[in-house]
Amino acid sequence: MNFDPRFSGRKFASVGTRPIRPDGIDKVTGRARYGADFNMAGQLVGRILRSPHAHAKILKIDTSKAEKLAGVKAVITAADLPDLTDGDAAMYDVLDNCMARSKALYDGHAVAAVAAVDARTARQALKLIQVDYELLPHVTDVDEAMKHTAPLINDSIFTEGLEEKPKKPSNVTKRSQFGHGDVHQGFGHADFIVERSFKTEQTHQGYIEPHACVANVSSDGTADLWVCTQGHFVYRQHCAQLLGLEASKLRVTSSEIGGGFGGKTHVWAEPVALALSRKAGRPVKLVMTRDEVFRASGPTSATSIDVKIGARKDGTITAAEATLRYSSGPYAGTWAEIGAMTAFACYKLDNVKTVGFEVLVNRPKTAAYRAPSAPMAAFAVESAVDELAKELGMDPVEFRIKNAAQEGTRSSYGPVYGPIGIGPTLEAAKTHPHMKAPLAKNQGRGMACGFWFNFGGQTCTDLNIGMDGSVSLAVGTVDVGGSRASLSLVAAEELGIAYEQVKAVVADTSSLGYNDMTDGSRGTFSSSMATISAARNAIKILRDRAAQMWDIPVDDVVWENGHAIAKGEKYGNLAALSLKEIAAASGKTGGPIAGHSELVADGAGVSFATHICDIEVDPETGAARVIRYTVIQDAGKAVHPTYVEGQYQGGAAQGIGWALNEEYIYGKDGRLQNAGFLDYRIPVCSDLPMIDTQILEIPNPNHPYGVRGVGETSIVPPLAAIANAMSNAAGVRMTHIPMSPPRVLAAIEAEREGRA
């Protein structure tokens, strides 16, 4: 059956309602099983030995004493994870990150691992492993790493994206460029120009659940992996390739996930657990400590960004340019490329240019964090936009409205926009009560816009109808933000039945076809499209079964509101058949009834948001407190509005922490100094205001219900919105994130001295 993904403009009965979440009771009562909650008979405890050095050659590893310790069943090093990547540079980086080979590249890099009968024995075994290092110079700052005098992290890296291949290796792995027009000419037409440099420090996603897995490799070559992940199909592919297993023989089951936000899109310790199990011949459970999570799993990039924007007196932006430098850890990434893509995406620009540089540093491998790279770019651009509006004497909202991208605008990164929500979110912000609320002394208001491009990808879904009329929906996208409830609503909507009749489950990799990673805000978008397709395939079968029961042509049967209806006056004596009635008779009409769908979900639809923030700054200490916050964002169609509001609020809360407090702090020795929640301070309830939300719905024309991804855009504007509020409250323009009290106080004092 051909599937038409175009928006149909239908009215909804289930979609858009707010039913109770299906996993809520299990989670609040403790019955939900997370990564560390799974156990197998005879399992061992895995532990990893990590480098205490930021950069060092590994001269020798002696594991003999550890191997002789009673209770130790396996000890592995890189020798137990040979290179099977067949020249795939990206996969080799994953392998090297899982277990260091010739060099330790950051504080926390895995160098060996053990499996023992209990945790105490495993810890003792780690202490018995002797590693001889030769210390090497290190670099942890993104700007320092770009200097020609910086220590070289990987001498096989030559900068990509240049007109000619460089003759010398570099810490800069890639140069990316986007834009159109002539920025030099555009700046020549500007009456006002703002040019600023910005820095953001590295942050962590701060998920409460650490990385955890249980691995079991059997003697027949089959293997099982239970793991907290955002993409168990991708984990299967990567782990199978790294260990030389047949992917079909590795079954991966995703647990409940206690937060991911992009940080659980990469394998970290899972291949190590599998290698330990293979060597020990027993299941191995491996759970990271919080220290390991900070030191050795993917944080964001630290950045250094230069922005230049020019405008005429009437407020029209004539040119915009940005140079963005993003750290990627010791391995090549695509983070600056994404930053360069998203930087000016909110605006209609005739002359625009962005250049991104990916930079190696001696820090952990960088991973995604909710709209990865976009918050830093938006911080720089939206700060400069606000400053330019002040130079022009224009209201910052009006200035943005005048220059906002529209349907038909060629985006700064290439594509031409369809229907988009940046203008409507700005208009809503302009008239929102928050904008008119009075401010007290030392308080300021700021606003900013944000963008995320979203994507879809490969998706597979099964919909099975039980003989009692219940519906089981098997999906392959991990539920990281309420998608099981949303997908149940979609199935109920399409079938015309009650939400309570549908139960959605996340199937393991042996029970369903391949699904891409649940990231990029693709979960509900792609799986709802596949669910609609699967439901329509099931409806085709339901119509056929009803036709059999009535002994009439199937073309005379239509499906309406959960019932098969015989159309035409000649069938006036045939009562409608419900889904439950048809299902009850399925054993006599051809057997089980199911719908299946596999598709590549294209046309995800870009997403825009506008945020408003009020803060209060203590001029004596530099401490800042967010006192009011509003998120206005286009959802396309809010399938489950409560979940959508939760995504908006969650992104804003994380952005508030990022803007004011959170950062990785490295010492001169290259070691992380705050690897724990006592010293790395994420916001708690008392740090946050009530976060107001306003859902706009500008339908995505490429989805039957108009759905757009919503999970990532909400973290993009906060850094800039808070910085703009800070400028209005304290009278200083902050260009370094986080805006911690010492930085703010220093800026205030410098401003006072400048006026003296």
Side-chain angles (χ1 to χ4, degrees):
M1 180 179 180
N2 292 328
F3 176 66
D4 185 356
R6 291 176 297 177
F7 176 64
S8 59
R10 64 187 287 173
K11 293 184 179 180
F12 299 104
S14 294
V15 166
T17 62
R18 301 172 183 258
I20 295 173
R21 58 188 299 164
D23 54 338
I25 293 176
D26 283 351
K27 286 182 174 175
V28 299
T29 58
R31 287 200 299 263
R33 301 177 78 194
Y34 292 87
D37 292 330
F38 187 73
N39 296 289
M40 296 185 72
Q43 75 183 17
L44 303 171
V45 175
R47 288 287 186 272
I48 296 176
L49 182 67
R50 300 185 179 278
S51 168
H53 307 297
H55 197 195
K57 285 184 180 179
I58 300 173
L59 303 178
K60 181 182 178 182
I61 302 178
D62 184 354
T63 62
S64 59
K65 292 181 180 179
E67 290 167 344
K68 294 174 182 176
L69 182 66
V72 172
K73 303 300 180 182
V75 182
I76 66 168
T77 64
D80 298 282
L81 281 167
D83 181 10
L84 304 175
T85 60
D86 195 26
D88 184 333
M91 284 306 299
Y92 180 83
D93 286 350
V94 174
L95 175 68
D96 188 71
N97 188 55
C98 288
M99 189 66 71
R101 316 192 86 68
S102 60
K103 290 202 300 183
L105 297 173
Y106 57 90
D107 167 38
H109 199 168
V111 295
V114 303
V117 293
D118 55 39
R120 182 171 178 237
T121 304
R123 288 193 296 268
Q124 286 180 316
L126 292 184
K127 294 177 181 178
L128 294 174
I129 298 174
Q130 295 180 321
V131 185
D132 293 336
Y133 295 101
E134 178 187 329
L135 298 189
L136 300 171
H138 63 270
V139 59
T140 58
D141 179 79
V142 63
D143 287 320
E144 292 297 319
M146 290 190 70
K147 295 179 179 178
H148 71 276
T149 55
L152 195 62
I153 294 172
N154 187 336
D155 59 12
S156 66
I157 292 290
F158 292 81
T159 307
E160 297 179 10
L162 303 178
E163 291 184 4
E164 296 183 10
K165 182 177 178 178
K167 296 179 180 179
K168 293 183 178 180
S170 170
N171 289 330
V172 180
T173 66
K174 186 179 181 181
R175 179 189 185 275
S176 303
Q177 181 172 322
F178 297 91
H180 54 259
D182 186 331
V183 292
H184 180 74
Q185 186 179 68
F187 283 120
H189 294 152
D191 296 309
F192 295 89
I193 294 175
V194 166
E195 192 169 3
R196 286 276 192 177
S197 295
F198 302 86
K199 281 186 79 81
T200 70
E201 297 298 333
Q202 194 163 48
T203 57
H204 198 274
Q205 300 86 350
Y207 37 79
I208 300 303
E209 180 194 20
H211 298 270
C213 66
V214 177
N216 184 35
V217 181
S218 301
S219 58
D220 62 0
T222 61
D224 282 276
L225 182 67
W226 166 280
V227 62
C228 55
T229 173
Q230 291 178 237
H232 45 314
F233 289 89
V234 175
Y235 273 42
R236 177 184 65 175
Q237 284 186 306
H238 288 181
C239 289
Q241 183 175 351
L242 295 182
L243 275 85
L245 302 171
E246 291 184 33
S248 61
K249 292 184 177 181
L250 173 59
R251 181 178 66 175
V252 182
T253 304
S254 66
S255 68
E256 291 288 350
I257 185 169
F261 314 110
K264 291 173 181 170
T265 58
H266 298 260
V267 295
W268 306 105
E270 295 78 15
V272 175
L274 284 163
L276 284 169
S277 176
R278 179 168 61 184
K279 191 166 187 177
R282 286 169 60 176
V284 172
K285 184 172 185 175
L286 203 160
V287 181
M288 279 191 179
T289 64
R290 185 62 58 185
D291 178 89
E292 289 179 296
V293 169
F294 275 105
R295 291 173 62 216
S297 70
T300 67
S301 300
T303 72
S304 171
I305 302 173
D306 303 324
V307 173
K308 182 179 180 181
I309 308 177
R312 290 196 291 264
K313 293 177 182 178
D314 67 357
T316 303
I317 296 176
T318 61
E321 186 174 18
T323 302
L324 308 99
R325 298 165 288 272
Y326 280 63
S327 66
S328 63
Y331 306 105
T334 59
W335 311 112
E337 183 174 6
I338 298 173
M341 281 179 60
T342 60
F344 292 108
C346 292
Y347 300 106
K348 178 176 58 179
L349 302 169
D350 292 330
N351 305 292
V352 58
K353 178 183 177 182
T354 58
V355 179
F357 294 96
E358 317 285 347
V359 186
L360 301 184
V361 293
N362 292 117
R363 295 191 181 205
K365 172 184 170 68
T366 299
Y369 180 14
R370 209 170 184 164
S373 303
M376 306 82 131
F379 163 59
V381 168
E382 290 293 301
S383 295
V385 166
D386 223 56
E387 194 167 355
L388 185 55
K390 287 183 180 179
E391 290 282 334
L392 291 162
M394 287 187 69
D395 177 83
V397 179
E398 293 289 358
F399 181 53
R400 287 172 171 86
I401 290 173
K402 183 177 181 65
N403 293 284
Q406 305 166 357
E407 183 174 359
T409 294
R410 183 184 178 189
S411 69
S412 59
Y413 64 99
V416 175
Y417 289 135
I420 57 174
I422 180 62
T425 65
L426 282 163
E427 293 289 350
K430 179 181 175 181
T431 59
H432 197 281
H434 186 164
M435 276 295 189
K436 302 172 184 177
L439 292 168
K441 185 180 179 182
N442 297 324
Q443 294 180 354
R445 177 169 297 137
M447 54 80 57
C449 299
F451 161 86
W452 184 248
F453 47 87
N454 294 328
F455 51 87
Q458 299 179 76
T459 313
C460 183
T461 297
D462 276 339
L463 186 150
N464 295 281
I465 300 174
M467 294 184 70
D468 61 353
S470 63
V471 174
S472 176
L473 184 66
V475 301
T477 45
V478 176
D479 186 351
V480 297
S483 61
R484 280 172 293 190
S486 297
L487 298 176
S488 295
L489 283 170
V490 169
E493 185 72 52
E494 201 65 30
L495 294 170
I497 60 177
Y499 166 81
E500 291 76 16
Q501 288 179 246
V502 184
K503 180 176 176 60
V505 297
V506 180
D508 65 58
T509 57
S510 296
S511 304
L512 196 65
Y514 178 82
N515 282 261
D516 280 330
M517 182 70 66
T518 305
D519 59 1
S521 293
R522 69 171 294 270
T524 298
F525 167 77
S526 61
S527 277
S528 66
M529 189 179 289
T531 297
I532 293 167
S533 175
R536 291 178 182 177
N537 289 335
I539 288 170
K540 182 179 180 182
I541 298 171
L542 287 163
R543 289 175 51 237
D544 181 74
R545 299 299 178 84
Q548 290 185 49
M549 294 169 71
W550 284 326
D551 194 22
I552 66 173
V554 70
D555 290 343
D556 290 343
V557 181
V558 296
W559 190 262
E560 294 179 2
N561 299 320
H563 292 77
I565 298 172
K567 62 181 181 180
E569 293 182 4
K570 58 184 175 179
Y571 300 127
N573 63 326
L574 295 177
L577 290 171
S578 68
L579 179 145
K580 187 174 182 178
E581 290 171 320
I582 299 169
S586 60
K588 300 176 182 178
T589 59
I593 301 173
H596 180 78
S597 176
E598 61 280 316
L599 50 78
V600 177
D602 291 324
V606 295
S607 176
F608 292 91
T610 296
H611 289 199
I612 311 167
C613 171
D614 294 352
I615 68 168
E616 184 173 87
V617 181
D618 184 341
E620 301 304 318
T621 65
R625 181 173 64 94
V626 177
I627 55 176
R628 185 169 181 179
Y629 204 98
T630 300
V631 178
I632 305 168
Q633 184 174 324
D634 170 25
K637 177 60 186 177
V639 177
H640 192 305
T642 301
Y643 276 125
V644 172
E645 290 164 352
Q647 291 290 335
Y648 291 2
Q649 292 164 335
Q654 289 176 313
I656 290 169
W658 192 340
L660 295 179
N661 291 304
E662 298 181 39
E663 66 175 309
Y664 270 39
I665 299 172
Y666 277 86
K668 292 182 179 180
D669 58 359
R671 300 201 68 185
L672 183 61
Q673 296 182 333
N674 59 333
F677 283 139
L678 286 176
D679 299 307
Y680 180 95
R681 192 170 179 276
I682 64 172
V684 296
C685 289
S686 58
D687 296 314
L688 299 170
M690 296 298 290
I691 298 172
D692 192 16
T693 61
Q694 183 175 347
I695 300 172
L696 303 185
E697 295 184 325
I698 294 89
N700 175 9
N702 303 307
H703 187 282
Y705 294 179
V707 169
R708 301 177 190 266
V710 302
E712 300 189 78
T713 311
S714 53
I715 203 173
V716 180
L719 279 63
I722 295 169
N724 291 335
M726 179 76 74
S727 177
N728 293 325
V732 293
R733 170 59 60 183
M734 299 301 298
T735 59
H736 194 163
I737 292 288
M739 294 173 285
S740 56
R743 287 198 183 107
V744 174
L745 185 60
I748 291 173
E749 291 177 344
E751 181 71 16
R752 288 171 184 159
E753 291 173 4
R755 290 197 302 260

